[in-house]
Amino acid sequence: MPLSLPLALPLSGLRAAAHGVWRRLDDVLAAPRSPQRVVLWLTVWLMVSSNWTLWLSIARLSATGASAAQALAAMGMLVGGATAAMLALTAWPRGMKPLWFAIVLIAAFAQHYMLAYHVVMDPTMMVNVMQTDVHEARDMLSTRLVVDVLWVAGPAAWALRRVRIAPARAWTHVWRNAVLLAAALAIGLAAGLAGFRVLGPLMRNNVELRYTVNPLSTLYSTIRQATDSARSKGPLAIISGDAALGPTYAGNARPPLFVLVVGETARGDHFSLNGYGRPTNPRLARAGVLSWSRLQSCGTSTAASVPCMFSPLGKAGFEARKNDTENLLDVLSASGLAVLWVDNQSGCKGVCARVPTASTACNADECLDDVLLQGLDARIAALPAERRARGVVVVLHQMGSHGPAYSHRSGPSSKHFLPECRNVTLSACTPDELRNAFDNSIVATDAMLADTIVWLRGQSAHFDTGMLYVSDHGESLGENGLYLHGMPYVFAPDEQKHAAMIAWLNGGLAARTGLRTECVAQGLGQPISHDVMYHMVLGLMDVRSATYQPSLDVLEACRSAG
């Protein structure tokens, strides 16, 4: 009792003071306010609460404290003016509260992912967001996500609920909004001109900064991606009209059976086949495979890389295209082969739109990639018999090493490296734990590919078999503070662009086309890109097409007739 009395007095005083502040704040919000004033309050709140990635990046990148202060002041005025100008378009008395809260909520989620994974909200990242499935979204859930979102959105939600919008005539709102818009643009323009000396070099040398301006960059990227998706690229460009089977189909008793495995987020420099110091490929090392160690991806996300690597246009041509174009699977199908896409991922990004498809299904929360081989014989048997008689191409699309829940990508038998990171907030794990979890996912891929080879060997009585594995892109594992993938390609680190490619051709497919694997092995260290995959597969399958370029087929020089 003697101790509780002195404590009770200051605590009751603090409670009374807090209650008084709360009542005062509630009274302020309860008074009628113009929508223009609410927009200005909202601008200040977004600047203070949801732009920490931008402010911290500027402070880190500026050479001295003085230049950092100048850059922060200039950028603050510029971003504040731009944000107020955008919100001025919404400064109307009715129906705007849900829109204002939606903007705050978008900013809250965007800041969480920028801070937690050091990604930026460019249009490519918004493609990934829009194409994220339930499993991938669930992997992102964490306590930190809830805290980060509530910190930004909670106070704004309470304030927007309490504030009363003052009524006024329509004309009054029109001229007030016009004045607000003009003033905001003038402030932003003046800040940009005044701070150009410090901001110009900073933004020119660190292009990614423009995509950390929140919520402007997020909203811009979302709108741009939505309009790009809605805008038709014109009629589908047909490239398969001349596709035909080559002479090997007349001279061989057995048709080919080719499995193309599309990997996910597998860094080529984490494969022991390519010289990595850990034994991440224990089974493939004994399987007689070929592994290209210097493969550069077409993009830094599945949505960018997968359609590009199946295209005959190459990276530059694919990104500059005006029309959607048929792809590798269309050409293979037009030649008369049976083609099947089996997915354990969030879709084929349009690549399999015109061929038979199947998707894995599990009773568990998530399928490991070994499910891709389950029931595969029955899936192939369901394809048209006349096509199967000519040959079969099966594409298996992995979950692979998709983050941030790397520990979910491997089963108990593949967990060779412990302890592993089990937190989706990757910065909360030690570098060793993170590397262990990622490397275990590579071990799981090694096992899945080795099992695919075993399955192909079991088909050797009826088919000439072979396998090609190509991952879509790499992954950042904390290097330079970056995590995951999806950075704009122009300034993405090599870790996100270093993919993997592995071939097993000893089941008769190499001999079928006169390919000398010992010759291929001599060129495995040459730098190549995803541009080669389209032409490699046409060459391996002996499918003739005007789109085939021998110079991009890294196997062509090693054929007996080459």
Side-chain angles (χ1 to χ4, degrees):
M1 290 297 293
L3 291 175
S4 64
L5 185 58
L7 287 172
L9 292 175
L11 286 176
S12 63
L14 286 173
R15 283 196 296 268
H19 183 69
V21 170
W22 186 266
R23 288 291 301 274
R24 174 60 180 159
L25 182 59
D26 195 52
D27 291 342
V28 168
L29 290 171
R33 304 292 175 183
S34 71
Q36 292 77 27
R37 180 173 292 189
V38 175
V39 159
L40 290 175
W41 286 352
L42 195 58
T43 297
V44 173
W45 178 248
L46 289 170
M47 293 277 291
V48 170
S49 68
S50 67
N51 274 282
W52 282 98
T53 299
L54 177 63
W55 310 139
L56 292 172
S57 297
I58 290 175
R60 175 176 56 85
L61 293 169
S62 299
T64 65
S67 64
Q70 293 174 5
L72 285 168
M75 182 62 81
M77 296 293 288
L78 179 60
V79 173
T83 304
M86 176 194 71
L87 292 175
L89 302 175
T90 72
W92 302 99
R94 294 183 180 179
M96 290 297 107
K97 285 187 179 183
L99 177 60
W100 291 333
F101 179 66
I103 291 172
V104 173
L105 201 60
I106 289 170
F109 277 99
Q111 174 163 267
H112 165 74
Y113 290 113
M114 286 192 287
L115 287 175
Y117 302 112
H118 291 202
V119 299
V120 295
M121 295 300 162
D122 71 313
T124 301
M125 182 59 67
M126 298 320 298
V127 175
N128 299 330
V129 172
M130 293 175 184
Q131 296 184 355
T132 296
D133 63 13
V134 174
H135 292 309
E136 293 171 348
R138 187 188 59 227
D139 286 343
M140 294 286 187
L141 297 179
S142 66
T143 302
R144 178 175 174 179
L145 171 63
V146 176
V147 172
D148 287 352
V149 170
L150 285 178
W151 147 247
V152 177
W158 176 80
L160 288 172
R161 182 176 181 274
R162 294 294 300 158
V163 70
R164 293 171 55 199
I165 306 298
R169 290 185 297 180
W171 176 248
T172 301
H173 287 299
V174 170
W175 73 258
R176 284 178 177 175
N177 287 357
V179 170
L180 177 58
L181 179 61
L185 291 175
I187 290 172
L189 180 60
L193 293 174
F196 182 78
R197 184 177 61 83
V198 291
L199 290 182
L202 188 67
M203 300 299 287
R204 186 166 53 250
N205 296 327
N206 303 278
V207 183
E208 69 276 11
L209 282 179
R210 70 185 65 178
Y211 294 116
T212 63
V213 178
N214 199 20
L216 291 172
S217 63
T218 309
L219 293 171
Y220 161 77
S221 296
T222 302
I223 293 170
R224 177 177 166 183
Q225 181 52 43
T227 54
D228 286 349
S229 298
R231 187 186 304 118
S232 172
K233 292 182 179 294
L236 181 70
I238 305 300
I239 61 172
S240 61
D242 65 341
L245 300 177
T248 58
Y249 288 84
N252 283 280
R254 296 178 302 183
L257 170 58
F258 178 63
V259 174
L260 173 58
V261 182
V262 178
E264 168 66 36
T265 321
R267 280 174 56 163
D269 62 345
H270 277 242
F271 281 65
S272 56
L273 291 171
N274 297 334
Y276 185 50
R278 289 176 141 192
T280 52
N281 302 122
R283 293 182 60 186
L284 289 180
R286 304 188 299 269
V289 299
L290 303 163
S291 181
W292 285 262
S293 60
R294 300 176 65 187
L295 175 69
Q296 188 169 56
S297 68
C298 191
T300 61
S301 68
T302 304
S305 278
V306 169
C308 180
M309 57 202 267
F310 278 82
S311 168
L313 303 175
K315 175 177 170 59
F318 182 80
E319 293 174 350
R321 74 197 189 285
K322 300 298 182 183
N323 295 65
D324 284 332
T325 305
E326 285 187 322
N327 60 64
L328 174 64
L329 301 189
D330 296 301
V331 174
L332 294 172
S333 181
S335 72
L337 298 174
V339 179
L340 173 67
W341 179 288
V342 185
D343 215 310
N344 193 35
Q345 250 276 16
S346 56
C348 67
K349 315 308 176 188
V351 170
C352 63
R354 293 167 294 277
V355 300
T357 62
S359 181
T360 60
C362 303
N363 294 324
D365 289 339
E366 186 174 291
C367 299
L368 294 174
D369 285 324
D370 55 8
V371 74
L372 288 164
L373 295 174
Q374 296 176 17
L376 188 55
D377 293 274
R379 296 187 196 277
I380 292 174
L383 297 173
E386 67 278 9
R387 286 182 172 270
R388 283 188 285 113
R390 300 186 192 103
V392 180
V393 176
V394 177
V395 184
L396 304 179
H397 189 197
Q398 283 187 297
M399 179 62 76
S401 300
H402 198 287
Y406 303 117
S407 62
H408 294 177
R409 311 296 173 238
S410 57
S413 63
S414 296
K415 295 191 182 299
H416 293 190
F417 310 107
L418 296 171
E420 64 176 1
C421 175
R422 293 183 173 273
N423 194 328
V424 296
T425 303
L426 301 180
S427 58
C429 297
T430 68
D432 285 343
E433 290 171 340
L434 182 55
R435 185 172 68 144
N436 288 346
F438 185 82
D439 285 352
N440 286 337
S441 73
I442 301 296
V443 175
T445 289
D446 175 83
M448 180 264 174
L449 295 178
D451 287 341
T452 301
I453 293 172
V454 171
W455 177 81
L456 285 169
R457 284 176 173 149
Q459 308 296 317
S460 61
H462 306 289
F463 295 96
D464 289 328
T465 62
M467 181 195 76
L468 179 67
Y469 165 84
V470 188
S471 65
D472 56 357
H473 53 78
E475 185 87 329
S476 287
L477 298 173
E479 299 89 355
N480 301 311
L482 297 177
Y483 298 94
L484 302 180
H485 55 267
M487 291 287 286
Y489 198 89
V490 67
F491 51 81
D494 288 341
E495 290 84 3
Q496 295 189 23
K497 296 187 258 188
H498 190 176
M501 185 164 75
I502 298 168
W504 178 80
L505 304 172
N506 298 336
L509 200 58
R512 181 186 183 91
T513 57
L515 184 66
R516 292 172 285 115
T517 55
E518 68 280 3
C519 168
V520 177
Q522 297 174 10
L524 296 178
Q526 63 179 306
I528 57 174
S529 73
H530 272 158
D531 291 359
V532 307
M533 192 193 87
Y534 177 93
H535 309 280
M536 283 181 66
V537 174
L538 287 187
L540 279 170
M541 297 304 297
D542 190 22
V543 170
R544 303 304 169 93
S545 169
T547 60
Y548 172 74
Q549 298 182 49
S551 61
L552 289 175
D553 181 356
V554 296
L555 305 177
E556 175 62 20
C558 290
R559 290 193 173 92
S560 297

